[in-house]
C-alpha cells in the first residue's frame, strides 16, 4: 500500500487507516471476552497484511474497551507495535449522573495529561504516534493545551499532535500557541456527507446558507500541510451493501452507480467509495470503521482503482441529487 508522508511531517502512514471503534464488544460495560480479542486480532492482522498500518482510536470507544482489547493483541505479540502508527483521541467526557453533570468536552491541561496516561495504560504502550483533540471544547484555552502538548512531547508520551472536527479558525487559534505544527484534522467526509465540497461549489449561491461545513477549512488544511482524515468514509455502508429500504432516491441511484462502476472495474463497492474520496487533490486519508476481515480486504482494493474525472463527477452529482449550479 502507498505510504502517505502526512504532508512531509516525517510520519509515513498508510493510505488507509483502520478505525477501531468497533472493537471491544460494543458500547456496554460487559467485560471483554476471548471472542473480542480474537476479533481484534483478526482485524489487525488483516489490515497489516494488506498494508494498512495506521490505527485510529479514541479513549471513549466502547467505554475504553476498544483500546484495552487492542492492547491485549499487542501484549500477545509485542513485535506488532513497531509495524504500527497508533493514533488516539481525547476530550469527550461521559455524563456523571451521580453529580448531575452532563456529557461535556474538556481540553484542560489536567484532563489531557490524565487522559493520555489512561490511553497508554489501556493500549499497553509507551507512546502515541499521534494524539488528537476529539471535538472542540467551548472553554478551550489554547495556552493551556499548548502546555499539555509540550509536556507530553517532552516526556515522550506523544510524538505528533492534531485535531478532529475543527474549523480553520479553531485550528489557527490553537496553532498560535504551539511550538510545532499540528499534523492532522479528522473530519466527517464521504460520498454521502459532501458539505466539504458543497462549500466550494456554492460560493455566491443561496444554497450556501444551508451548509454547515466551515468555509475555508479544506483549503486551510491543504495550505498548512495538515493531513485531512475522513471519518465515516464508508457512509455506514450505504453504497456497499447496507439496507436502502428507507433511503432517498439519490442514495439509491448513487448505490446503483457505485455497483456498476465496481463491476466494470472488477473491484469492490467499498473500493469505489474510497477511491472517490482519495482522488481529491487534498490527499484525503480515509478511516475505515469495519472490523470484518473481508470488508477490510475490500477497502484495501481502493488503492488500485482509478476514477476518471467524468466518473468522479457522476458520483458527486448523483450523491447531491441535483445538477451542479
Amino acid at each position: 500500500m502507498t505510504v502517505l508522508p502526512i504532508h512531509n511531517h516525517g510520519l509515513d502512514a498508510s493510505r488507509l487507516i483502520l478505525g477501531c471503534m468497533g472493537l471491544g464488544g460494543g458500547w456496554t460495560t460487559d467485560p471483554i471476552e476471548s471472542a473480542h480479542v480474537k476479533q481484534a486480532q483478526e482485524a489487525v492482522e488483516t489490515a497489516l497484511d494488506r498494508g494498512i498500518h495506521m490505527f485510529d482510536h479514541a479513549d471513549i470507544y466502547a467505554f475504553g474497551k476498544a483500546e484495552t482489547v487492542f492492547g491485549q493483541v499487542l501484549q500477545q505479540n509485542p513485535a506488532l507495535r513497531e509495524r504500527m502508527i497508533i493514533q488516539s483521541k481525547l476530550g469527550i467526557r461521559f455524563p456523571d449522573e451521580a453529580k448531575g453533570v452532563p456529557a461535556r468536552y474538556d481540553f484542560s491541561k489536567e484532563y489531557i495529561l490524565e487522559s493520555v496516561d489512561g490511553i497508554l495504560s489501556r493500549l499497553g504502550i509507551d507512546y502515541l504516534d499521534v494524539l488528537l483533540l476529539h471535538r472542540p471544547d467551548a472553554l478551550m484555552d489554547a495556552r493551556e493545551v499548548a502546555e499539555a502538548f509540550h509536556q507530553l512531547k517532552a516526556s515522550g508520551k506523544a510524538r505528533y499532535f492534531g485535531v478532529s472536527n475543527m474549523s480553520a479558525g479553531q485550528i489557527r487559534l490553537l496553532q498560535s500557541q504551539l511550538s510545532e505544527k499540528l499534523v492532522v484534522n479528522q473530519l466527517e467526509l464521504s460520498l454521502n456527507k459532501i458539505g466539504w465540497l458543497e462549500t466550494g461549489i456554492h460560493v455566491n449561491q443561496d444554497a450556501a446558507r444551508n451548509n454547515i461545513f466551515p468555509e475555508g477549512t479544506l483549503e486551510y488544511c491543504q495550505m498548512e500541510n495538515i493531513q485531512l482524515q475522513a471519518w465515516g468514509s464508508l457512509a455506514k455502508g450505504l453504497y456497499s451493501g447496507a439496507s436502502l429500504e428507507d433511503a432517498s432516491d439519490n442514495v439509491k441511484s448513487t448505490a446503483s452507480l457505485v455497483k456498476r462502476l465496481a463491476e466494470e472495474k472488477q473491484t469492490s463497492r467499498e473500493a469505489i467509495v474510497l477511491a472517490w474520496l482519495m482522488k481529491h487533490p487534498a490527499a484525503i486519508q480515509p478511516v475505515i470503521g469495519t472490523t470484518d476481515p473481508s470488508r477490510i480486504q475490500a477497502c484495501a482494493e481502493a488503492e488500485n482503482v482509478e476514477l476518471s474525472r467524468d466518473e468522479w463527477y457522476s458520483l458527486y452529482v448523483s450523491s447531491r441529487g441535483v445538477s451542479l449550479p
Side-chain angles (χ1 to χ4, degrees):
M1 178 166 285
T2 301
V3 169
L4 191 68
I6 305 292
H7 283 314
N8 303 314
H9 291 293
L11 190 65
D12 291 336
S14 51
R15 194 66 175 85
L16 299 179
I17 302 172
L18 186 69
C20 297
M21 185 171 68
L23 301 179
W27 295 82
T28 72
T29 56
D30 296 338
I32 292 172
E33 301 176 0
S34 59
H36 303 145
V37 179
K38 182 180 179 182
Q39 176 202 35
Q41 187 173 31
E42 290 177 348
V44 167
E45 290 177 351
T46 302
L48 290 172
D49 287 345
R50 296 309 300 262
I52 302 170
H53 63 260
M54 188 166 186
F55 298 85
D56 178 71
H57 289 271
D59 57 356
I60 64 166
Y61 288 167
F63 300 116
K65 293 188 297 177
E67 290 177 335
T68 299
V69 77
F70 195 92
Q72 292 181 17
V73 172
L74 291 178
Q75 186 177 29
Q76 291 177 3
N77 188 355
L80 290 178
R81 176 64 181 102
E82 296 307 312
R83 299 172 60 191
M84 297 176 170
I85 293 175
I86 299 179
Q87 168 179 284
S88 194
K89 303 180 289 291
L90 60 80
I92 298 178
R93 302 190 68 165
F94 292 118
D96 187 335
E97 296 180 0
K99 296 181 179 179
V101 179
R104 66 278 194 204
Y105 307 137
D106 192 341
F107 291 172
S108 64
K109 178 180 177 180
E110 179 183 14
Y111 190 72
I112 290 173
L113 298 176
E114 175 187 319
S115 297
V116 170
D117 284 343
I119 290 169
L120 296 178
S121 176
R122 286 187 293 274
L123 289 170
I125 58 179
D126 298 324
Y127 67 92
L128 283 171
D129 294 289
V130 186
L131 173 67
L132 306 184
L133 301 176
H134 205 157
R135 287 191 177 273
D137 175 13
L139 297 178
M140 179 183 78
D141 182 333
R143 291 168 296 185
E144 191 173 354
V145 174
E147 290 176 5
F149 282 5
H150 176 75
Q151 188 168 326
L152 290 168
K153 180 79 171 182
S155 65
K157 293 181 179 180
R159 296 186 172 180
Y160 296 89
F161 302 92
V163 297
S164 182
N165 304 299
M166 282 200 185
S167 69
Q170 291 167 324
I171 298 172
R172 283 193 194 97
L173 173 61
L174 182 56
Q175 186 67 73
S176 71
Q177 300 300 318
L178 296 174
S179 58
E180 57 184 272
K181 297 281 288 184
L182 294 167
V183 302
V184 167
N185 187 15
Q186 189 178 110
L187 300 161
E188 185 176 16
L189 314 171
S190 74
L191 183 55
N192 186 52
K193 294 289 185 179
I194 55 174
W196 56 286
L197 292 172
E198 300 288 87
T199 297
I201 294 296
H202 285 152
V203 170
N204 203 33
Q205 301 282 327
D206 288 342
R209 298 173 183 172
N210 299 320
N211 188 1
I212 63 171
F213 191 86
E215 184 177 355
T217 297
L218 199 71
E219 295 80 3
Y220 174 79
C221 290
Q222 289 177 266
M223 291 170 61
E224 295 298 319
N225 290 325
I226 297 172
Q227 178 63 52
L228 286 162
Q229 296 178 351
W231 66 266
S233 61
L234 290 170
K236 298 181 178 179
L238 275 178
Y239 309 119
S240 52
S243 172
L244 301 179
E245 183 178 352
D246 299 320
S248 63
D249 289 342
N250 56 303
V251 167
K252 292 177 180 178
S253 64
T254 305
S256 295
L257 178 55
V258 168
K259 183 179 179 181
R260 177 171 66 78
L261 288 170
E263 290 171 351
E264 290 176 358
K265 297 179 183 295
Q266 297 184 326
T267 190
S268 67
R269 288 176 288 178
E270 289 89 347
I272 297 296
V273 173
L274 296 175
W276 181 83
L277 269 178
M278 293 159 65
K279 185 175 178 64
H280 193 277
I284 294 166
Q285 191 180 25
V287 180
I288 58 172
T290 181
T291 59
D292 181 343
S294 64
R295 287 199 76 205
I296 294 172
Q297 293 181 40
C299 290
E301 294 178 21
E303 276 225 285
N304 300 319
V305 175
E306 180 63 36
L307 296 176
S308 69
R309 177 179 283 265
D310 288 348
E311 289 168 339
W312 189 91
Y313 265 103
S314 293
L315 287 164
Y316 174 32
V317 173
S318 177
S319 177
R320 74 196 307 269
V322 294
S323 300
L324 290 169

